[in-house]
Amino acid sequence: QVQLVESGGGLVQPGGSLRLSCVASTSISSFGAMGWYRQAPGKEREWVASIPVGGSIVYADSVKGRFTISRDNAKNTVYLTMNNLKPEDTAVYYCYARLPNKYWGQGTQVTVFA
């Protein structure tokens, strides 16, 4: 069993930035992949980014050039750095880990509003 805890969400104005963190209860160095989904009000959950242990980082088209996923194995943490935020980025952001089964965090709210 893997437990994931997200943090770093909040209220920001359009054009602002946030960095989300996801801390795992165990070492992430052997995980197949980690990544992020998001879910806006009234919409289905949308995949955002993936950082495989032995592959290339991949982003959804909607966030390419603005979001960056990274990891710190020593801290058992994966990050999502979000720049130039837009109102359409408003959502609950969920971290996941694949072992290869998926484990999910509880989510953190991001609200982009002027």
Side-chain angles (χ1 to χ4, degrees):
Q1 293 289 309
V2 176
Q3 297 181 22
L4 306 171
V5 179
E6 302 100 328
S7 63
L11 175 64
V12 297
Q13 295 191 16
S17 299
L18 286 174
R19 187 182 74 166
L20 307 183
S21 299
C22 173
V23 181
S25 60
T26 60
S27 173
I28 67 171
S29 61
S30 62
F31 287 8
M34 297 189 72
W36 295 87
Y37 278 74
R38 65 186 182 185
Q39 188 168 27
K43 295 186 176 181
E44 294 184 345
R45 190 169 295 191
E46 174 192 21
W47 172 79
V48 174
S50 175
I51 184 167
V53 65
S56 299
I57 293 172
V58 188
Y59 298 97
D61 288 342
S62 58
V63 306
K64 285 181 179 177
R66 300 188 298 120
F67 290 13
T68 302
I69 189 171
S70 60
R71 58 157 37 114
D72 186 337
N73 289 346
K75 297 181 178 179
N76 296 335
T77 301
V78 63
Y79 302 98
L80 186 69
T81 302
M82 305 182 294
N83 298 315
N84 191 25
L85 284 161
K86 305 175 180 179
E88 52 263 44
D89 295 318
T90 295
V92 177
Y93 284 72
Y94 297 91
C95 174
Y96 71 87
R98 180 170 60 80
L99 277 77
N101 293 333
K102 281 186 176 179
Y103 298 84
W104 298 90
Q106 83 289 348
T108 185
Q109 176 72 48
V110 172
T111 302
V112 185
F113 185 78

PDB file of all heavy atoms in Angstrom, residues 98-114:
ATOM      1  N   ARG A  98       2.250   4.716  -9.943  1.00  0.00           N
ATOM      2  CA  ARG A  98       1.985   3.439 -10.611  1.00  0.00           C
ATOM      3  C   ARG A  98       3.068   2.443 -10.235  1.00  0.00           C
ATOM      4  O   ARG A  98       4.262   2.725 -10.404  1.00  0.00           O
ATOM      5  CB  ARG A  98       1.935   3.635 -12.126  1.00  0.00           C
ATOM      6  CG  ARG A  98       1.658   2.344 -12.888  1.00  0.00           C
ATOM      7  CD  ARG A  98       1.380   2.611 -14.356  1.00  0.00           C
ATOM      8  NE  ARG A  98       2.487   3.269 -15.024  1.00  0.00           N
ATOM      9  CZ  ARG A  98       3.581   2.663 -15.472  1.00  0.00           C
ATOM     10  NH1 ARG A  98       3.733   1.355 -15.284  1.00  0.00           N
ATOM     11  NH2 ARG A  98       4.526   3.353 -16.085  1.00  0.00           N
ATOM     12  N   LEU A  99       2.633   1.259  -9.742  1.00  0.00           N
ATOM     13  CA  LEU A  99       3.581   0.274  -9.203  1.00  0.00           C
ATOM     14  C   LEU A  99       3.506  -1.143  -9.756  1.00  0.00           C
ATOM     15  O   LEU A  99       4.131  -2.031  -9.128  1.00  0.00           O
ATOM     16  CB  LEU A  99       3.425   0.197  -7.684  1.00  0.00           C
ATOM     17  CG  LEU A  99       4.143   1.212  -6.808  1.00  0.00           C
ATOM     18  CD1 LEU A  99       3.443   2.563  -6.825  1.00  0.00           C
ATOM     19  CD2 LEU A  99       4.255   0.671  -5.395  1.00  0.00           C
ATOM     20  N   PRO A 100       2.838  -1.521 -10.804  1.00  0.00           N
ATOM     21  CA  PRO A 100       2.162  -0.720 -11.831  1.00  0.00           C
ATOM     22  C   PRO A 100       0.711  -0.365 -11.531  1.00  0.00           C
ATOM     23  O   PRO A 100       0.125   0.428 -12.279  1.00  0.00           O
ATOM     24  CB  PRO A 100       2.239  -1.633 -13.054  1.00  0.00           C
ATOM     25  CG  PRO A 100       2.147  -3.010 -12.466  1.00  0.00           C
ATOM     26  CD  PRO A 100       2.903  -2.943 -11.161  1.00  0.00           C
ATOM     27  N   ASN A 101       0.092  -0.930 -10.480  1.00  0.00           N
ATOM     28  CA  ASN A 101      -1.238  -0.473 -10.104  1.00  0.00           C
ATOM     29  C   ASN A 101      -1.162   0.984  -9.657  1.00  0.00           C
ATOM     30  O   ASN A 101      -0.137   1.439  -9.143  1.00  0.00           O
ATOM     31  CB  ASN A 101      -1.815  -1.333  -8.991  1.00  0.00           C
ATOM     32  CG  ASN A 101      -2.092  -2.746  -9.440  1.00  0.00           C
ATOM     33  OD1 ASN A 101      -2.346  -3.003 -10.620  1.00  0.00           O
ATOM     34  ND2 ASN A 101      -2.050  -3.676  -8.511  1.00  0.00           N
ATOM     35  N   LYS A 102      -2.261   1.712  -9.833  1.00  0.00           N
ATOM     36  CA  LYS A 102      -2.284   3.132  -9.501  1.00  0.00           C
ATOM     37  C   LYS A 102      -2.776   3.371  -8.081  1.00  0.00           C
ATOM     38  O   LYS A 102      -3.733   2.750  -7.627  1.00  0.00           O
ATOM     39  CB  LYS A 102      -3.161   3.908 -10.479  1.00  0.00           C
ATOM     40  CG  LYS A 102      -2.491   4.199 -11.813  1.00  0.00           C
ATOM     41  CD  LYS A 102      -3.352   5.093 -12.672  1.00  0.00           C
ATOM     42  CE  LYS A 102      -2.637   5.464 -13.958  1.00  0.00           C
ATOM     43  NZ  LYS A 102      -3.480   6.320 -14.832  1.00  0.00           N
ATOM     44  N   TYR A 103      -2.112   4.296  -7.402  1.00  0.00           N
ATOM     45  CA  TYR A 103      -2.507   4.789  -6.091  1.00  0.00           C
ATOM     46  C   TYR A 103      -2.695   6.293  -6.188  1.00  0.00           C
ATOM     47  O   TYR A 103      -1.956   6.980  -6.900  1.00  0.00           O
ATOM     48  CB  TYR A 103      -1.450   4.450  -5.039  1.00  0.00           C
ATOM     49  CG  TYR A 103      -1.246   2.962  -4.849  1.00  0.00           C
ATOM     50  CD1 TYR A 103      -0.397   2.249  -5.686  1.00  0.00           C
ATOM     51  CD2 TYR A 103      -1.918   2.272  -3.848  1.00  0.00           C
ATOM     52  CE1 TYR A 103      -0.221   0.879  -5.530  1.00  0.00           C
ATOM     53  CE2 TYR A 103      -1.742   0.908  -3.688  1.00  0.00           C
ATOM     54  CZ  TYR A 103      -0.895   0.225  -4.529  1.00  0.00           C
ATOM     55  OH  TYR A 103      -0.721  -1.133  -4.372  1.00  0.00           O
ATOM     56  N   TRP A 104      -3.676   6.816  -5.445  1.00  0.00           N
ATOM     57  CA  TRP A 104      -4.102   8.205  -5.593  1.00  0.00           C
ATOM     58  C   TRP A 104      -3.997   8.971  -4.291  1.00  0.00           C
ATOM     59  O   TRP A 104      -4.222   8.419  -3.213  1.00  0.00           O
ATOM     60  CB  TRP A 104      -5.549   8.274  -6.086  1.00  0.00           C
ATOM     61  CG  TRP A 104      -5.750   7.663  -7.428  1.00  0.00           C
ATOM     62  CD1 TRP A 104      -6.057   6.370  -7.706  1.00  0.00           C
ATOM     63  CD2 TRP A 104      -5.658   8.331  -8.683  1.00  0.00           C
ATOM     64  NE1 TRP A 104      -6.169   6.185  -9.056  1.00  0.00           N
ATOM     65  CE2 TRP A 104      -5.932   7.364  -9.685  1.00  0.00           C
ATOM     66  CE3 TRP A 104      -5.386   9.642  -9.057  1.00  0.00           C
ATOM     67  CZ2 TRP A 104      -5.930   7.677 -11.040  1.00  0.00           C
ATOM     68  CZ3 TRP A 104      -5.381   9.956 -10.404  1.00  0.00           C
ATOM     69  CH2 TRP A 104      -5.656   8.982 -11.377  1.00  0.00           C
ATOM     70  N   GLY A 105      -3.681  10.258  -4.402  1.00  0.00           N
ATOM     71  CA  GLY A 105      -3.763  11.160  -3.276  1.00  0.00           C
ATOM     72  C   GLY A 105      -5.166  11.700  -3.109  1.00  0.00           C
ATOM     73  O   GLY A 105      -6.090  11.370  -3.865  1.00  0.00           O
ATOM     74  N   GLN A 106      -5.338  12.567  -2.110  1.00  0.00           N
ATOM     75  CA  GLN A 106      -6.662  13.097  -1.783  1.00  0.00           C
ATOM     76  C   GLN A 106      -7.032  14.327  -2.602  1.00  0.00           C
ATOM     77  O   GLN A 106      -8.198  14.723  -2.617  1.00  0.00           O
ATOM     78  CB  GLN A 106      -6.725  13.439  -0.287  1.00  0.00           C
ATOM     79  CG  GLN A 106      -6.155  14.797   0.112  1.00  0.00           C
ATOM     80  CD  GLN A 106      -4.639  14.886   0.018  1.00  0.00           C
ATOM     81  OE1 GLN A 106      -3.941  13.883  -0.146  1.00  0.00           O
ATOM     82  NE2 GLN A 106      -4.121  16.108   0.125  1.00  0.00           N
ATOM     83  N   GLY A 107      -6.070  14.946  -3.266  1.00  0.00           N
ATOM     84  CA  GLY A 107      -6.314  16.111  -4.090  1.00  0.00           C
ATOM     85  C   GLY A 107      -6.029  17.416  -3.368  1.00  0.00           C
ATOM     86  O   GLY A 107      -6.118  17.505  -2.144  1.00  0.00           O
ATOM     87  N   THR A 108      -5.684  18.436  -4.152  1.00  0.00           N
ATOM     88  CA  THR A 108      -5.489  19.786  -3.643  1.00  0.00           C
ATOM     89  C   THR A 108      -6.128  20.773  -4.617  1.00  0.00           C
ATOM     90  O   THR A 108      -5.975  20.650  -5.826  1.00  0.00           O
ATOM     91  CB  THR A 108      -3.993  20.093  -3.415  1.00  0.00           C
ATOM     92  OG1 THR A 108      -3.841  21.376  -2.810  1.00  0.00           O
ATOM     93  CG2 THR A 108      -3.200  20.039  -4.710  1.00  0.00           C
ATOM     94  N   GLN A 109      -6.849  21.749  -4.084  1.00  0.00           N
ATOM     95  CA  GLN A 109      -7.632  22.672  -4.903  1.00  0.00           C
ATOM     96  C   GLN A 109      -6.760  23.792  -5.445  1.00  0.00           C
ATOM     97  O   GLN A 109      -6.019  24.443  -4.696  1.00  0.00           O
ATOM     98  CB  GLN A 109      -8.778  23.265  -4.075  1.00  0.00           C
ATOM     99  CG  GLN A 109      -9.600  24.322  -4.814  1.00  0.00           C
ATOM    100  CD  GLN A 109     -10.464  23.739  -5.891  1.00  0.00           C
ATOM    101  OE1 GLN A 109     -11.175  22.754  -5.661  1.00  0.00           O
ATOM    102  NE2 GLN A 109     -10.419  24.325  -7.089  1.00  0.00           N
ATOM    103  N   VAL A 110      -6.869  24.043  -6.749  1.00  0.00           N
ATOM    104  CA  VAL A 110      -6.245  25.188  -7.404  1.00  0.00           C
ATOM    105  C   VAL A 110      -7.350  26.036  -8.009  1.00  0.00           C
ATOM    106  O   VAL A 110      -8.145  25.543  -8.818  1.00  0.00           O
ATOM    107  CB  VAL A 110      -5.248  24.754  -8.494  1.00  0.00           C
ATOM    108  CG1 VAL A 110      -4.751  25.961  -9.285  1.00  0.00           C
ATOM    109  CG2 VAL A 110      -4.087  23.998  -7.875  1.00  0.00           C
ATOM    110  N   THR A 111      -7.403  27.305  -7.631  1.00  0.00           N
ATOM    111  CA  THR A 111      -8.400  28.235  -8.151  1.00  0.00           C
ATOM    112  C   THR A 111      -7.686  29.429  -8.768  1.00  0.00           C
ATOM    113  O   THR A 111      -6.887  30.087  -8.093  1.00  0.00           O
ATOM    114  CB  THR A 111      -9.351  28.702  -7.050  1.00  0.00           C
ATOM    115  OG1 THR A 111      -9.998  27.575  -6.455  1.00  0.00           O
ATOM    116  CG2 THR A 111     -10.410  29.641  -7.621  1.00  0.00           C
ATOM    117  N   VAL A 112      -7.977  29.711 -10.040  1.00  0.00           N
ATOM    118  CA  VAL A 112      -7.375  30.828 -10.764  1.00  0.00           C
ATOM    119  C   VAL A 112      -8.488  31.828 -11.050  1.00  0.00           C
ATOM    120  O   VAL A 112      -9.396  31.548 -11.837  1.00  0.00           O
ATOM    121  CB  VAL A 112      -6.701  30.374 -12.061  1.00  0.00           C
ATOM    122  CG1 VAL A 112      -5.978  31.537 -12.715  1.00  0.00           C
ATOM    123  CG2 VAL A 112      -5.737  29.227 -11.781  1.00  0.00           C
ATOM    124  N   PHE A 113      -8.417  33.006 -10.429  1.00  0.00           N
ATOM    125  CA  PHE A 113      -9.506  33.966 -10.481  1.00  0.00           C
ATOM    126  C   PHE A 113      -8.955  35.363 -10.241  1.00  0.00           C
ATOM    127  O   PHE A 113      -8.152  35.579  -9.332  1.00  0.00           O
ATOM    128  CB  PHE A 113     -10.561  33.623  -9.426  1.00  0.00           C
ATOM    129  CG  PHE A 113     -11.781  34.484  -9.466  1.00  0.00           C
ATOM    130  CD1 PHE A 113     -12.764  34.280 -10.420  1.00  0.00           C
ATOM    131  CD2 PHE A 113     -11.957  35.505  -8.551  1.00  0.00           C
ATOM    132  CE1 PHE A 113     -13.899  35.070 -10.463  1.00  0.00           C
ATOM    133  CE2 PHE A 113     -13.083  36.305  -8.582  1.00  0.00           C
ATOM    134  CZ  PHE A 113     -14.050  36.082  -9.546  1.00  0.00           C
ATOM    135  N   ALA A 114      -9.400  36.310 -11.051  1.00  0.00           N
ATOM    136  CA  ALA A 114      -8.946  37.686 -10.918  1.00  0.00           C
ATOM    137  C   ALA A 114      -9.654  38.386  -9.778  1.00  0.00           C
ATOM    138  O   ALA A 114     -10.873  38.296  -9.621  1.00  0.00           O
ATOM    139  CB  ALA A 114      -9.172  38.447 -12.218  1.00  0.00           C
TER     140      ALA A 114
END
